[in-house]
Amino acid sequence: MDVKTLIAECTAYDFKLMLEENKPKSWLKSVSAFANGLGGSLFFGIDNDGIVKGLDDVQHVCEAISSRIRDYMDPLPEVEMIPHDIDGLHILQLKVNAGHYTPYYYVGDGQRIAFVRVGDESIPATAEQMVRLVLKGSNKTFDSLHTNYKAEDYSFTILANTFKDRTKQEWDKKYLLSFGLVTGAGNLTNAGALFADDCPLWQSRLYCTRWDGKEKGDAINDAEFTGNVLMLLREAMNFVKSNTKRGWEKLPDGRKNKPEYAERAVLEAMVNHFIHRDYTIMGGEVHLDIYDDRLIVTSPGGMYNGMLIQDLDIADVSSERRNPILANVMAQLDYMEKRGSGLTRICNETKALEGYKDELKPLFKSTPTQFQTTIFASSDIPNVGDHDGDMSESETLSVSQRTIERDLSTLHKKGILRHEGKDNDGVWVVLI
């Protein structure tokens, strides 16, 4: 019987034709990986193709499994052994529960290795994965860890101004302690470091690129930012505004803006990626890539629970948070809702745009190492400057001086603009 109709060898299952008693690492690595992750099962008596072959002595296999787990696993994982009969053939299911005391190690042959599950394989945990397993086992999160940075050496002007602007309440320094940004001893937590004006965590970075076309090739514009997470959020939104179309429709009493993307959808996406990213990955950063037809945000770290977002109904996605302090502060600033409805809101805000079609529904994709959000451009946007010859209207963009200078330089190199007059008292002439 082909049991692929019932189960498939994947992230949560492994098939073993027999129990290799003399090579316990060959199957205990899966026990370690399942205990370090979401749990899973090994089925003994089934070959790699999912064909049931059966076991001769299920009782002996049970006893041997128990013995090897006691001898070679530390700490001991919670397991169940469940016999099954399929068409007269006996198989054994070794069910491994998700562990609370990670990392779970295989100890043998002079080795001490923690394994993790990636796809249908159990592989040794990397140094970064080990950090996450240790945090999980100690019931701690990255953003709650205490640092050696003294709070008195850092200012929180950006946070205070943002709080006052968005909540219409006065900022009080006592919030630093109540929000979990500062410890009782006066040190910053990692969350506090992320919100400090001069954020000392160099992995808090953002790379922005406006690509020429629908694929990566020549870049029309790019920028890199490092530091305070609220500053990164602001720069991301400014980059989107200055690198996407903002057409409009003329009305009898004015005009109606018709943006290429729903601003709230983009904001929600950026907030999600900043608060849910894995900050233990030292060489990672958030990437914002804008193409002619879509906007993609990518951040280090997959789903916190290890699942794949593309396999889930986003309406049912739980609000498990890798960085709960960071998420709570963003909720206090009214950048997100506490109940974890960000992905649904991205879809709803995009759907509300004129020109929306089902094929423009945002996409979410995750792997064990990254999360990606794709928002497609509205199909009903006129060309920028589509004003029927009326040049009397202008629009103020919320961009920095550096962004303006960079964009002017790019247009100049492309032959679209020419500067006439002195450097400090000239004019830009549109050639095209």
Side-chain angles (χ1 to χ4, degrees):
M1 174 182 177
D2 188 345
V3 297
K4 284 186 176 180
T5 58
L6 301 176
I7 54 177
E9 191 169 43
C10 59
T11 303
Y13 299 111
D14 250 354
F15 297 153
K16 300 293 180 183
L17 180 59
M18 65 178 68
L19 177 68
E20 296 184 275
E21 296 184 47
N22 296 325
K23 297 180 180 179
K25 183 181 177 181
S26 66
W27 54 275
L28 281 176
K29 64 182 182 181
S30 293
V31 174
S32 167
F34 290 146
N36 284 326
L38 298 176
S41 292
L42 290 88
F43 289 86
F44 293 93
I46 302 178
D47 68 15
N48 290 334
D49 295 322
I51 307 300
V52 176
K53 298 295 185 179
L55 298 171
D56 294 332
D57 191 342
V58 173
Q59 182 61 38
H60 174 74
V61 172
C62 286
E63 294 172 355
I65 288 175
S66 296
S67 174
R68 298 305 186 277
I69 288 178
R70 287 195 304 268
D71 292 341
Y72 293 98
M73 292 295 300
D74 182 36
L76 295 178
E78 295 182 9
V79 301
E80 299 177 61
M81 283 179 274
I82 308 169
H84 297 277
D85 288 331
I86 300 179
D87 293 341
L89 297 174
H90 305 298
I91 67 172
L92 181 67
Q93 177 186 0
L94 173 59
K95 183 178 179 181
V96 183
N97 295 328
H100 300 291
Y101 305 103
T102 57
Y104 288 84
Y105 294 94
Y106 164 80
V107 183
D109 310 318
Q111 300 175 314
R112 185 179 178 85
I113 307 173
F115 290 86
V116 293
R117 197 73 173 164
V118 177
D120 61 354
E121 291 185 292
S122 298
I123 62 175
T126 64
E128 293 165 345
Q129 290 168 328
M130 285 298 299
V131 171
R132 295 196 288 274
L133 290 174
V134 170
L135 287 174
K136 177 183 176 183
S138 57
N139 198 30
K140 295 179 180 178
T141 58
F142 171 83
D143 61 347
S144 70
L145 295 180
H146 299 184
T147 73
N148 293 323
Y149 304 118
K150 290 293 183 181
E152 62 188 24
D153 297 331
Y154 292 86
S155 60
F156 293 86
T157 305
I158 297 175
L159 174 60
N161 290 339
T162 303
F163 181 87
K164 185 175 181 180
D165 178 60
R166 295 188 64 83
T167 68
K168 309 307 178 186
Q169 300 177 40
E170 290 298 322
W171 171 259
D172 192 316
K173 286 186 178 181
K174 68 181 182 182
Y175 294 151
L176 293 175
L177 182 61
S178 61
F179 286 171
L181 305 182
V182 172
T183 70
N187 286 26
L188 298 181
T189 61
N190 277 328
L194 287 169
F195 282 106
D197 291 342
D198 296 316
C199 171
L201 304 183
W202 68 272
Q203 71 266 39
S204 181
R205 293 182 294 175
L206 168 69
Y207 287 176
C208 303
T209 308
R210 173 58 170 101
W211 299 98
D212 187 8
K214 297 183 178 181
E215 303 295 336
K216 289 186 177 180
D218 294 331
I220 296 177
N221 198 3
D222 63 82
E224 177 182 345
F225 307 97
T226 303
N228 177 287
V229 69
L230 293 173
M231 181 273 292
L232 296 185
L233 178 60
R234 183 184 62 208
E235 292 293 352
M237 296 306 295
N238 286 340
F239 190 86
V240 172
K241 290 178 182 178
S242 61
N243 287 277
T244 57
K245 296 177 182 178
R246 297 176 61 84
W248 61 83
E249 175 185 354
K250 295 193 69 174
L251 300 175
D253 57 349
R255 75 180 190 189
K256 178 181 180 181
N257 286 327
K258 303 180 74 172
E260 196 171 9
Y261 299 93
E263 182 175 351
R264 184 67 204 198
V266 176
L267 177 64
E268 198 76 37
M270 296 308 309
V271 170
N272 275 329
H273 281 270
F274 283 128
I275 68 173
H276 293 304
R277 62 154 292 185
D278 190 342
Y279 285 93
T280 67
I281 300 177
M282 301 303 292
E285 59 276 323
V286 175
H287 284 257
L288 169 61
D289 294 290
I290 302 176
Y291 302 87
D292 286 355
D293 62 341
R294 66 197 187 281
L295 175 156
I296 299 178
V297 188
T298 309
S299 57
M303 294 279 286
Y304 184 52
N305 59 15
M307 302 182 75
L308 301 179
I309 188 63
Q310 57 269 27
D311 296 339
L312 306 173
D313 182 345
I314 62 170
D316 299 327
V317 174
S318 64
S319 58
E320 295 178 80
R321 291 165 176 174
R322 178 179 278 113
N323 302 297
I325 296 177
L326 187 56
N328 178 62
V329 175
M330 284 297 193
Q332 296 289 344
L333 297 174
D334 195 32
Y335 275 122
M336 62 173 291
E337 297 180 17
K338 291 184 178 180
R339 65 176 181 266
S341 57
L343 302 187
T344 300
R345 187 163 190 175
I346 292 171
C347 293
N348 290 341
E349 293 288 341
T350 300
K351 188 176 182 179
L353 281 180
E354 289 189 36
Y356 176 82
K357 301 175 183 178
D358 288 342
E359 57 266 28
L360 299 180
K361 182 178 180 180
L363 298 178
F364 307 100
K365 180 181 179 181
S366 67
T367 69
T369 58
Q370 71 175 26
F371 192 98
Q372 188 174 86
T373 299
T374 301
I375 304 177
F376 295 96
S378 172
S379 60
D380 191 32
I381 304 301
N383 291 329
V384 175
D386 185 5
H387 40 59
D388 297 329
D390 183 0
M391 296 291 287
S392 62
E393 296 187 71
S394 63
E395 184 171 348
T396 300
L397 300 178
S398 299
V399 296
S400 64
Q401 180 71 20
R402 182 174 61 177
T403 298
I404 294 173
E405 293 173 349
R406 185 174 59 244
D407 291 347
L408 288 173
S409 176
T410 299
L411 293 173
H412 180 246
K413 291 178 181 178
K414 287 181 172 291
I416 298 175
L417 297 180
R418 180 180 70 241
H419 190 269
E420 295 183 352
K422 299 180 180 179
D423 290 343
N424 62 346
D425 190 29
V427 296
W428 287 97
V429 177
V430 180
L431 302 178
I432 299 177

